[in-house]
């Protein structure tokens, strides 16, 4: 067992010490998923403090090594450019990096005032402070404003935010999470606190006690239930001193555009603009399309009905595929037709024609790292709801660096060719023949939200099929394997003690 640990510690230490250094060639090869590496570091530190001995010394070494290298996102970006790990970005990205570096410098300078250190004395009295704030309400708005980054698809928003997040000290109260996942957590906590006079205030208190710096990726509001609570939730969070860093495809004024009861959502936009510096990434380059796209695992419909099943069995190998049940939020269960060796198989209709959502897809990705999805259709008016679910599924898989293997009726672009925005529909050239015009408009789906989201989905499907993305996926699986070995060793040490 000790020999196995020695072999495991080397890669773990290397992965953490050089976290972010090991990026594959090409712009799309970003960090190894920074929050996974943070969990490895935090867990080893926690176990070290709890158990003592070699683990504690190991964690202290990691801490000192990691802190020395942190100088901010712009410095790290320039280092990676010089090392050839990243493509040299355009002026829009450089401008965004300067904004992130400015925020980083302000946070470092005001770390005490922002109460960022989770091990400081004021954090040890966290529960007492929460109780006291109920008796004597007071505002502790952060002296540092957050940052809201928005721009077109594939412009590097997620990569830039990960670069920023990875440079933050490990002892700070920080969290990097996809917006979908964040809101699922909020709704789950609201259920837990039902019956309280103001459950949103309680949930905001819990979140800000855990993570005063929130980095939310893909800020996109489409659900009326989310829209109606965001202003009160974030008003409580900002009052508690929370700092928001967010990425989005939409400018703040365009969030939840055309949504139900949007007038009740508008105060949140004002709150967001008051507490965050808003910065647009003006680049028109979609860097995801510049990856070395190969055939990968996206197959335009094959004549053989069992083509994908054969490919799935090849991935599973000698393991036996069988039905599984995956637990998602609030006690819900998701039935998986076939699964084995980290791979799950679904016909398209089982995942996207049923009333499933982000919570189900997150639960699926926690259990399986690869999804085989059979027979993705061309989307139009007749299956608009399925298109929305497919967009959400791709978002969740991309965020979790999951691997998608699928058969489809067309290329990513062809899948969404019939989905258009209102302005796109108005600008379509009229036909001379009424018959040809009728054929063109058949099954045309005019939907602003979906028409806007489709570009992101097409871009992500393209990147997910690239060799760079698939290498990132393989690296992530290896990190998880090493992490599991480390956990097993630490548990054995606790039992022996």
């Amino acid at each position: 067992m000790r020999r196995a640990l020695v072999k495991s510690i080397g890669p773990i230490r290397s992965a953490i010490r050089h976290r972010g250094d090991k990026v594959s060639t090409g712009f799309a090869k970003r960090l190894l998923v920074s929050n996974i590496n943070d969990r490895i570091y935090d867990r080893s530190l926690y176990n070290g403090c709890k158990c003592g001995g070699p683990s504690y010394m190991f964690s202290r070494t990691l801490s000192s090594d990691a802190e020395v290298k942190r100088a901010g996102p712009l410095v790290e970006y320039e280092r990676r450019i010089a090392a050839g790990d990243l493509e040299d970005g355009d002026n829009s990205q450089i401008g965004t990096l300067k904004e992130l570096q400015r925020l980083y410098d302000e946070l470092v300078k005001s770390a005490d005032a922002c109460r960022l250190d989770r091990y400081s004395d004021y954090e040890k009295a966290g529960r007492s402070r929460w109780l006291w704030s109920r008796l004597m309400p007071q505002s502790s708005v952060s002296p540092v404003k957050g940052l809201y980054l928005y721009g077109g698809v594939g412009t590097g928003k997620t990569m830039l935010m990960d670069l920023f997040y990875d440079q933050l000290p490990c002892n700070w109260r920080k969290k990097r999470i996809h917006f979908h996942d964040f809101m699922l957590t909020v709704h789950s906590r609201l259920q837990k606190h039902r019956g309280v006079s103001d459950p949103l205030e309680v949930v905001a208190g819990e979140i800000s006690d855990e993570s005063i710096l929130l980095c939310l990726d893909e800020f996109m509001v489409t659900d009326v239930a989310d829209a109606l609570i965001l202003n009160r939730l974030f008003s409580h969070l900002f009052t508690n001193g929370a700092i928001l860093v967010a990425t989005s495809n939409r400018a703040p004024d365009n969030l939840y555009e055309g949504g139900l009861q949007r007038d009740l959502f508008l105060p949140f936009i004002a709150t967001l603009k008051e507490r965050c510096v808003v910065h647009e990434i003006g680049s028109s380059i979609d860097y995801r399309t510049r990856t070395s796209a190969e055939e990968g695992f996206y197959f335009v419909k094959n004549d053989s009905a069992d083509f994908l099943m054969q490919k799935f069995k090849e991935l599973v190998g000698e393991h036996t595929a069988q039905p599984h049940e995956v637990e998602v939020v609030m006690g819900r269960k998701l039935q998986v037709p076939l699964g084995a060796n980290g791979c799950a198989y679904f016909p398209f209709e089982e995942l996207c024609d049923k009333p499933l959502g982000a919570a189900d897809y997150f639960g699926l990705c926690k259990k399986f790292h690869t999804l085989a999805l059979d027979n993705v259709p061309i989307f139009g008016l007749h299956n608009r709801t399925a298109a929305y679910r497919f967009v959400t599924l791709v978002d969740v898989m991309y965020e979790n660096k999951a691997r998608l293997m699928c058969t489809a009726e067309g290329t990513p672009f062809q899948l969404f060719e019939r989905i258009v925005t209102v302005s796109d529909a108005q600008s379509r050239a009229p036909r001379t023949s009424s018959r040809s015009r009728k054929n063109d408009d058949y099954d045309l789906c005019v939907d602003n939200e979906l028409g806007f989201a489709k570009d992101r989905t097409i871009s992500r499907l393209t990147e997910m099929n690239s060799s760079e993305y698939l290498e990132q996926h393989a690296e992530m699986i290896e990190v998880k394997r090493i992490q599991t070995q480390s956990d097993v060793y630490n548990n054995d040490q606790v039992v022996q003690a």
Side-chain angles (χ1 to χ4, degrees), residues 309-418:
M309 181 60 74
Q310 294 172 6
K311 292 289 182 181
F312 173 72
K313 289 179 179 178
E314 290 175 11
L315 287 180
V316 169
E318 59 187 20
H319 299 268
T320 302
Q322 57 188 1
H324 284 258
E325 189 176 68
V326 175
E327 185 174 348
V328 293
V329 295
M330 292 178 277
R332 291 175 56 191
K333 306 279 188 182
L334 175 64
Q335 303 300 322
V336 180
L338 287 175
N341 196 27
C343 305
Y345 171 88
F346 278 89
F348 176 84
E349 57 271 16
E350 289 291 315
L351 265 190
C352 298
D353 276 341
K354 290 186 175 181
L356 302 177
D360 304 285
Y361 303 146
F362 272 109
L364 184 66
C365 287
K366 287 176 182 176
K367 180 76 174 178
F368 300 98
H369 57 70
T370 297
L371 171 64
L373 190 62
D374 200 9
N375 199 23
V376 181
I378 299 290
F379 297 113
L381 185 62
H382 74 287
N383 59 358
R384 176 171 59 179
T385 303
Y388 265 107
R389 293 195 186 106
F390 183 68
V391 166
T392 301
L393 173 64
V394 171
D395 283 345
V396 171
M397 294 190 67
Y398 184 86
E399 174 65 17
N400 286 274
K401 290 292 179 287
R403 180 172 56 180
L404 175 65
M405 180 173 69
C406 69
T407 56
E409 291 182 355
T411 65
F413 177 80
Q414 290 169 338
L415 294 183
F416 291 93
E417 202 168 7
R418 297 174 186 166

Side-chain angles (χ1 to χ4, degrees), residues 115 122-138 201-202 204-206 208-209 240:
R115 298 179 286 117
Y122 54 74
E123 284 310 311
K124 294 176 183 176
R127 292 186 178 180
S128 299
R129 187 180 68 258
W130 185 89
L131 177 60
W132 182 253
S133 68
R134 305 284 74 74
L135 300 174
M136 298 286 291
Q138 55 183 333
E201 183 181 14
V202 177
E206 291 177 346
S208 54
D209 274 345
N240 293 341

Side-chain angles (χ1 to χ4, degrees), residues 28-173:
K29 291 188 172 181
R30 298 187 282 270
L31 304 176
L32 254 185
V33 187
S34 58
N35 55 342
I36 289 179
N37 288 326
D38 278 339
R39 284 199 295 270
I40 298 175
Y41 173 83
D42 290 341
R43 186 172 298 174
S44 61
L45 178 61
Y46 172 78
N47 288 336
C49 293
K50 182 176 181 181
C51 305
S55 296
Y56 175 71
M57 295 173 62
F58 171 51
S59 303
R60 290 291 297 273
T61 303
L62 291 177
S63 178
S64 60
D65 285 348
E67 295 301 328
V68 168
K69 292 202 169 193
R70 290 192 172 89
L74 183 57
V75 177
E76 175 62 13
Y77 179 83
E78 290 172 345
R79 185 196 67 76
R80 294 187 191 184
I81 293 294
D85 292 332
L86 291 177
E87 277 189 34
D88 199 352
D90 54 30
N91 290 332
S92 297
Q93 285 192 342
I94 300 301
T96 303
L97 278 162
K98 289 179 178 177
E99 281 294 319
L100 287 166
Q101 184 68 40
R102 176 196 57 76
L103 176 59
Y104 174 87
D105 292 338
E106 286 186 19
L107 290 172
V108 171
K109 182 179 178 181
S110 307
D112 289 339
C114 294
R115 298 179 286 117
L116 285 163
D117 189 346
R118 68 161 60 97
Y119 301 119
S120 295
D121 291 338
Y122 54 74
E123 284 310 311
K124 294 176 183 176
R127 292 186 178 180
S128 299
R129 187 180 68 258
W130 185 89
L131 177 60
W132 182 253
S133 68
R134 305 284 74 74
L135 300 174
M136 298 286 291
Q138 55 183 333
S139 175
S140 56
V141 175
S142 169
V144 177
K145 285 189 176 184
L147 185 61
Y148 182 95
L149 303 174
Y150 75 96
V153 299
T155 53
K157 297 182 296 295
T158 297
M159 186 278 296
L160 294 173
M161 187 172 76
D162 283 347
L163 195 63
F164 165 80
Y165 186 86
D166 187 62
Q167 289 294 299
L168 301 175
C170 292
N171 61 315
W172 280 12
R173 290 189 295 149

Side-chain angles (χ1 to χ4, degrees), residues 272-298:
L272 182 66
K273 291 162 75 173
E274 179 186 351
R275 291 306 311 158
C276 291
V277 174
V278 178
H279 177 81
E280 179 182 9
I281 306 178
S283 176
S284 59
I285 301 172
D286 184 349
Y287 285 93
R288 293 188 191 125
T289 62
R290 296 175 64 171
T291 57
S292 60
E294 299 174 353
E295 183 177 303
F297 290 90
Y298 187 102

Side-chain angles (χ1 to χ4, degrees), residues 414-440:
Q414 290 169 338
L415 294 183
F416 291 93
E417 202 168 7
R418 297 174 186 166
I419 308 291
V420 296
T421 62
V422 172
S423 60
D424 289 338
Q426 292 172 344
S427 65
R428 290 171 73 91
R431 301 291 183 179
T432 55
S433 164
S434 59
R435 180 177 180 182
S436 63
R437 176 67 183 268
K438 182 178 180 181
N439 289 341
D440 275 357

